[in-house]
Amino acid sequence: MAADATSPFGQPTPRIDGVAKVTGAARYASDEPVAHPAYACLVTSAIARGRVRALHLERAKAVPGVLDILTHDNVGAQATPPPQLSGGGSTTTLETDQVWHDGQIIAVVVAETFEAAREAAHRVEADYVVEEPGATFGSPGVTTEPHHPAQSGEGDPKVGDAAAALARAEVRIDARYSTPTQHHNPIELFTTTCVWDGPKLTIYEPTQFMWGLKSAVAKQLKLDPADVRTVSRYVGGAFGSKGSVSSRTAWIAVAARRLGRPVKLAASRDQGFTIATYRAETRHHLQLAATRDGRLTALSHEGSEVTSRPSGYNVAGVDTTARMYACPNISTSVSVVHADRNTPGFMRAPAETPYMFALESAMDELAYALQMDPIELRRINDTRTDPVDGKPFSSRSLMQCFDQAAARFGWSRRDPRPGSMRDGDWLIGWGCATACYPSNIGPAACRVSLTPEGKAAVHLAAHEIGTGAYTTIALTAAHALGLKVEDVTVVLGDSDLPPVPVAGGSNNAASTVNATLKACEELRARLAAAAVQDRAGPFGGADPARLQLQGGALVWSGRREPLAKAVGRVTAGALEVHAENVPEGLPPDAMAKLYQGTPVLLRGGSRKDATAYAFGAHLVEVRVHRLTCEIRVGRVVSAFAAGTIVNPLTAYSQFMGGTIWGLSAALHEQTEIDLRTARYVNDNLADYSIPVNADVPDLQIIIVPEQDRTVNPAGIKGIGEIGIVGMNAAVANAVFHATGKRIRDLPIRPEKLL
Ligand code: MOS
C-alpha cells in the first residue's frame, strides 16, 4: 500500500504503550482491582495415570481462613471440559475422578489469603488408584494412530510416486530426527480472576483469544455468551500457551459463584507446566532423493508426535515441508502417540519449528552428499510454484534472503570441509537453513471514531501479547486518517469490543490492520460523501473517491479542509463506524463464526489461486571446543522477507526474539521427563535451560523489502513466528560443519559430541 511522506506507517516507532509497561501502569489481568477477593490455589495430581480414590480434606479445612475446597465430589457436574483443538476427546479435571496426566488439577482450595490457600492446598491428601503410566514414544502401553487430517479436510500432501523415485535415486538421504518436549514459560504466570454480578461473569485472564475464551467458558458453564466478558489488556508473554482455553478458568468461575465473592488464582510456575499446553516431542523419518546436479526428485517426510490419551492434537508440519522446494514426488504422513500426558498445544511456529528442523537438516546432509554449497542447493530447488498443488506463491523472496544474509555474513569465505576452520582450540562451523511461515489472516471487526478536533479512537478485541499490537494499529489508523500517532487512541483486550481472531499463527497484524484500514476507509467515505454534497464547501461536486485524509485535513487537488470543518459538517461529537473485514477466500459465515468465538483462520494466504508464505534465511557460526565440546554460537545473520512491515522497530524485535528462541531450541531447551512416572523433572526456571545474554552473540537481522499485492490488501504476511523456524537446523548444520558430527536429536548438548 502506498504511504504518503508524512505517514507513520512503515516508520520505526517506539511502542505507544512502552512507558505504561516500564512504569507499571499497564494493567495485566491479575493486576485488575476487584473488591474483596478470595484467593485460590490448585491441588494437582502426583500420579500420571489412575483415579482419585479419596481426597482427605480435614487437615486442609483446619487452616485458618480456608473458605472452600472444590473437588470432583462437590462440583464435578458444574462444568464441562474446554473444547479441544483437534479431533478426539479431552482430558478432564474436576469433572470426574480420572487422572489423565501428572499435575492435573484435582482440587481447588479457596481462602482469605493466598498464603492460607497455599498452605491448605499442601495439606490436601489424595488417595489414588495408581496405574503404570506411559510417558512418551516407546513407553509401555502407549498407542499410535494416524493423525486426523487437517481442518481443510485435505489429507497429508502427496504428489507423484515418492517410493519409486527414492528407489531409483542418484543421490539419497535417509535419516531420522527428533525434537524434545519444550515449555513456553512466559514470565506472566497463568492467572485467572472471576467476578460475578448477578448472572454476569467477568473473567480477567491473560489470553490470546478474547472472544474464544468468552464463548468457551460460556459453553462450559452453560451460560449465555452475552453474560460473559473477558478482559486482558496486556499479556506478559504467551507464545501459544495462552491461545487455547485451559481447565482452570471455569473452576475459578464456579468457586466465585459458590462463594459469592471474586476469586483470584495465580498458578505456580511448576503448575504452568501441566495445567497449560506445551510443545510435544516429535520424531521424523526424512528421505530425500536428488539428481547429481542437485535437483530434488523425491521427498518423503513421516512425522510422529506425542499427545495425551484422548486428544488427537498434532501439528502436522508436513503441510509446510512438502511445499518448501520444487519436487515432483512427495509423500508425507503423520502419526500421533497417545501417552499419559497433558494435551500439548501451540508453541511459537508449532508445526514448522520441529518439522523444518528435520527437512533443513536433511537438506544439509544432501548438500554434503552432493559436495555442494547448502545455499546453492536451495537455489537449485527454489520454486515460484507450490509443488503440492501447483499454485503460484503469492511472493517468495527466499533467495534474496539467503543472498543478503550471505553477503553480510561473508559466506563466500566458507571452507566446506567439516572441521577445516579453526581458531586455536575452537572448531568453527558455518551452517544455514531456510525459515518460513504460512501467511495467515482471519476475519476481524473494528470500530473507529473521529472527532472534529482530529482525535481518533480504534476499538477492537485484539491482543497485546508483547508483539506491539497497540502501536501497529495506531500507526495504521494514523496513516489512513491522516493524523499523528499521538492523536490516535487504541483500546484492545476486552470482549465487549468487536471480535478479532486468536492472536496466533502470526495472523494478528494482517487481520487487525486490514480491518482497521477498512473502518478508516468507511470513515473517509462518509466524510467525502458529505463534503461533495456541500455546494458551498471546497469539494462541492467533486468525485468523493478522490478525497483523501492527510495532515489533519480532507484534501483533494490542492484544496484542503481542516477536520474541524470536514467532521463538523456531519457531527459535533464523534463520527463512528463499525467495519467487518472478511478476507477473500473465507466462507461467508466466517464473521458469524468469529462472533461465536470459533477459530477462523485462512491458512497460507488469502486467495484461492496462491500459496502464501513468508520466507527467511538463517546463517550461523558456531564455535565448538576441541576438548570439552562446549558449543558457543559466535555470529548469526538472519534475513526475512514478510511483505509489508508496519513497524520495523517491533518487527525487528519479533525476528530477533524468534531467532534467539531457535538457538535455544537447538542448544538449550528440553523439558526432561521421568520415564517411570511420566512426570516433568525440570519444571522451574532454574533447571529449564534457556539462553542468557552471554549465549546470544553478534546477532544481525536483515529485513528484506517485499511487496505482496496478493496476500491481502495491506500486503502483510505476519512475522511473529518465522524467526524461530529453521534456526535449530542452522545451528545443527553449523555444528556438523565444525565437528563432522551430525546431531539429529535436539537439543545439541556437549555430551552428544563427546
Ligand atoms: Mo502462536 S504458537 O500460534 O501463539
Side-chain angles (χ1 to χ4, degrees):
M1 45 187 280
D4 73 87
T6 61
S7 168
F9 196 87
Q11 300 300 320
T13 309
R15 292 164 193 263
I16 60 172
D17 48 342
V19 170
K21 281 183 168 175
V22 298
T23 57
R27 208 175 263 175
Y28 292 80
S30 62
D31 300 333
E32 299 280 354
V34 296
H36 193 43
Y39 295 84
C41 188
L42 303 176
V43 181
T44 56
S45 75
I47 65 162
R49 180 183 171 93
R51 291 188 177 275
V52 178
R53 183 187 286 129
L55 288 164
H56 304 294
L57 308 178
E58 300 73 26
R59 290 185 60 239
K61 284 181 175 164
V63 174
V66 169
L67 299 166
D68 197 3
I69 302 177
L70 280 60
T71 70
H72 70 269
D73 288 322
N74 57 24
V75 296
Q78 292 183 30
T80 53
Q84 289 294 285
L85 294 170
S86 45
S90 53
T91 57
T92 50
T93 53
L94 301 186
E95 299 87 352
T96 72
D97 62 355
Q98 182 153 5
V99 177
W100 296 96
H101 61 86
D102 172 58
Q104 173 187 308
I105 299 170
I106 57 170
V108 181
V109 177
V110 186
E112 292 287 355
T113 63
F114 170 73
E115 290 77 10
R118 187 176 54 181
E119 171 66 15
H122 284 303
R123 293 193 189 193
V124 170
E125 289 161 34
D127 262 358
Y128 300 102
V129 179
V130 184
E131 294 173 43
E132 189 192 354
T136 184
F137 294 115
S139 296
V142 300
T143 60
T144 304
E145 61 175 17
H147 80 126
H148 303 279
Q151 287 170 304
S152 61
E154 295 161 24
D156 297 322
K158 186 172 169 27
V159 182
D161 187 344
L166 282 163
R168 58 169 191 267
E170 289 176 19
V171 181
R172 184 173 163 172
I173 296 297
D174 184 329
R176 291 173 192 273
Y177 305 89
S178 72
T179 64
T181 299
Q182 298 173 341
H183 277 80
H184 325 66
N185 283 308
I187 290 302
E188 181 194 32
L189 295 166
F190 297 96
T191 76
T192 300
T193 302
C194 287
V195 183
W196 290 88
D197 178 7
K200 294 200 178 288
L201 169 64
T202 302
I203 302 166
Y204 301 97
E205 178 176 307
T207 178
Q208 293 170 256
F209 195 12
M210 310 297 317
W211 278 69
L213 179 64
K214 165 195 170 86
S215 75
V217 174
K219 200 166 169 196
Q220 287 181 266
L221 297 173
K222 300 188 180 61
L223 302 172
D224 181 345
D227 284 341
V228 181
R229 178 184 174 205
T230 54
V231 179
S232 179
R233 302 176 210 276
Y234 293 92
V235 178
F239 314 116
S241 70
K242 293 160 182 166
S244 44
V245 183
S246 81
S247 305
R248 72 186 192 275
T249 313
W251 297 124
I252 299 305
V254 168
R257 188 167 60 191
R258 277 162 69 91
L259 210 57
R261 217 171 128 177
V263 173
K264 276 193 161 198
L265 167 75
S268 62
R269 174 64 60 190
D270 62 320
Q271 288 171 343
F273 278 71
T274 59
I275 66 163
T277 60
Y278 61 99
R279 194 195 293 287
E281 54 268 49
T282 67
R283 290 186 176 179
H284 306 265
H285 182 201
L286 235 297
Q287 297 175 84
L288 297 176
T291 59
R292 283 196 208 292
D293 58 0
R295 280 176 299 113
L296 284 172
T297 54
L299 161 78
S300 168
H301 192 165
E302 297 165 29
S304 187
E305 309 172 27
V306 166
T307 183
S308 64
R309 280 290 170 188
S311 172
Y313 181 82
N314 68 89
V315 297
V318 294
D319 221 42
T320 285
T321 55
R323 291 180 155 79
M324 270 313 95
Y325 302 111
C327 186
N329 300 290
I330 298 169
S331 166
T332 63
S333 69
V334 176
S335 60
V336 292
V337 169
H338 295 283
D340 297 299
R341 296 274 298 280
N342 50 320
T343 305
F346 313 133
M347 184 158 145
R348 205 172 200 169
E352 290 71 19
T353 301
Y355 280 75
M356 285 292 283
F357 170 67
L359 176 64
E360 291 302 292
S361 295
M363 286 294 282
D364 200 65
E365 300 203 41
L366 180 61
Y368 281 99
L370 293 162
Q371 296 189 312
M372 180 179 279
D373 180 87
I375 296 178
E376 282 316 298
L377 177 62
R378 287 164 177 87
R379 192 185 313 281
I380 288 169
N381 292 288
D382 192 26
T383 173
R384 313 307 302 174
T385 308
D386 179 337
V388 174
D389 50 27
K391 294 177 196 168
F393 283 101
S394 64
S395 57
R396 174 165 163 134
S397 308
L398 174 64
M399 295 320 299
Q400 287 90 326
C401 291
F402 268 112
D403 290 342
Q404 291 195 25
R408 178 87 64 93
F409 191 89
W411 185 262
S412 60
R413 298 194 306 274
R414 181 176 184 264
D415 181 333
R417 295 167 301 149
S420 62
M421 292 166 58
R422 295 194 177 209
D423 176 8
D425 281 338
W426 293 89
L427 309 173
I428 311 289
W430 290 4
C432 71
T434 292
C436 65
Y437 198 76
S439 308
N440 294 317
I441 186 170
C446 171
R447 197 161 68 227
V448 178
S449 63
L450 181 62
T451 69
E453 293 75 35
K455 303 288 182 191
V458 188
H459 287 78
L460 68 173
H463 312 83
E464 166 47 22
I465 60 173
T467 49
Y470 281 99
T471 312
T472 305
I473 293 163
L475 292 175
T476 304
H479 162 72
L481 299 174
L483 300 175
K484 295 194 171 70
V485 178
E486 51 269 32
D487 290 326
V488 180
T489 302
V490 180
V491 183
L492 311 179
D494 187 328
S495 70
D496 279 356
L497 304 175
V500 312
V502 60
S506 298
N507 86 88
N508 215 5
S511 303
T512 61
V513 166
N514 281 291
T516 304
L517 287 173
K518 189 170 179 184
C520 293
E521 164 54 23
E522 285 183 27
L523 231 155
R524 183 210 65 80
R526 299 252 309 259
L527 294 176
V532 300
Q533 303 256 317
D534 181 355
R535 295 282 155 183
F539 307 116
D543 174 3
R546 308 287 297 276
L547 273 55
Q548 295 298 320
L549 287 166
Q550 268 174 25
L554 198 56
V555 300
W556 171 65
S557 185
R559 295 178 213 174
R560 190 174 179 282
E561 181 180 59
L563 288 179
K565 283 226 161 124
V567 181
R569 182 180 286 118
V570 295
T571 176
L575 176 60
E576 181 170 282
V577 302
H578 168 101
E580 296 177 344
N581 186 51
V582 180
E584 196 178 319
L586 276 169
D589 67 345
M591 189 53 67
K593 283 197 163 137
L594 183 67
Y595 275 90
Q596 289 153 17
T598 312
V600 206
L601 274 191
L602 192 55
R603 191 172 166 81
S606 64
R607 305 289 169 119
K608 321 189 252 309
D609 54 356
T611 294
Y613 273 82
F615 291 92
H618 295 292
L619 273 59
V620 176
E621 175 179 302
V622 300
R623 303 164 68 85
V624 182
H625 196 275
R626 183 173 69 83
L627 299 171
T628 64
C629 293
E630 179 184 348
I631 308 161
R632 310 295 304 178
V633 172
R635 291 191 296 138
V636 178
V637 178
S638 298
F640 303 95
T644 300
I645 302 297
V646 182
N647 184 357
L649 196 62
T650 45
Y652 190 93
S653 298
Q654 288 300 305
F655 291 135
M656 184 172 61
T659 300
I660 292 169
W661 202 347
L663 182 165
S664 179
L667 298 179
H668 296 267
E669 278 186 66
Q670 174 164 20
T671 307
E672 309 281 355
I673 305 164
D674 181 333
L675 294 178
R676 296 159 308 161
T677 59
R679 303 188 76 177
Y680 300 134
V681 178
N682 53 343
D683 56 353
N684 58 76
L685 282 182
D687 295 326
Y688 186 91
S689 177
I690 55 171
V692 296
N693 278 341
D695 294 307
V696 181
D698 173 8
L699 170 64
Q700 297 186 42
I701 301 294
I702 300 169
I703 300 178
V704 175
E706 183 181 66
Q707 279 200 348
D708 189 323
R709 300 183 195 286
T710 304
V711 64
N712 53 63
I716 292 171
K717 286 184 163 181
I719 56 175
E721 283 158 283
I722 186 173
I724 191 175
V725 179
M727 185 61 186
N728 43 14
V731 173
N733 297 341
V735 167
F736 177 80
H737 183 231
T739 64
K741 290 205 175 109
R742 179 67 63 181
I743 308 301
R744 300 186 179 90
D745 305 297
L746 295 182
I748 305 169
R749 299 226 168 112
E751 61 267 27
K752 291 184 182 169
L753 294 173
L754 281 169

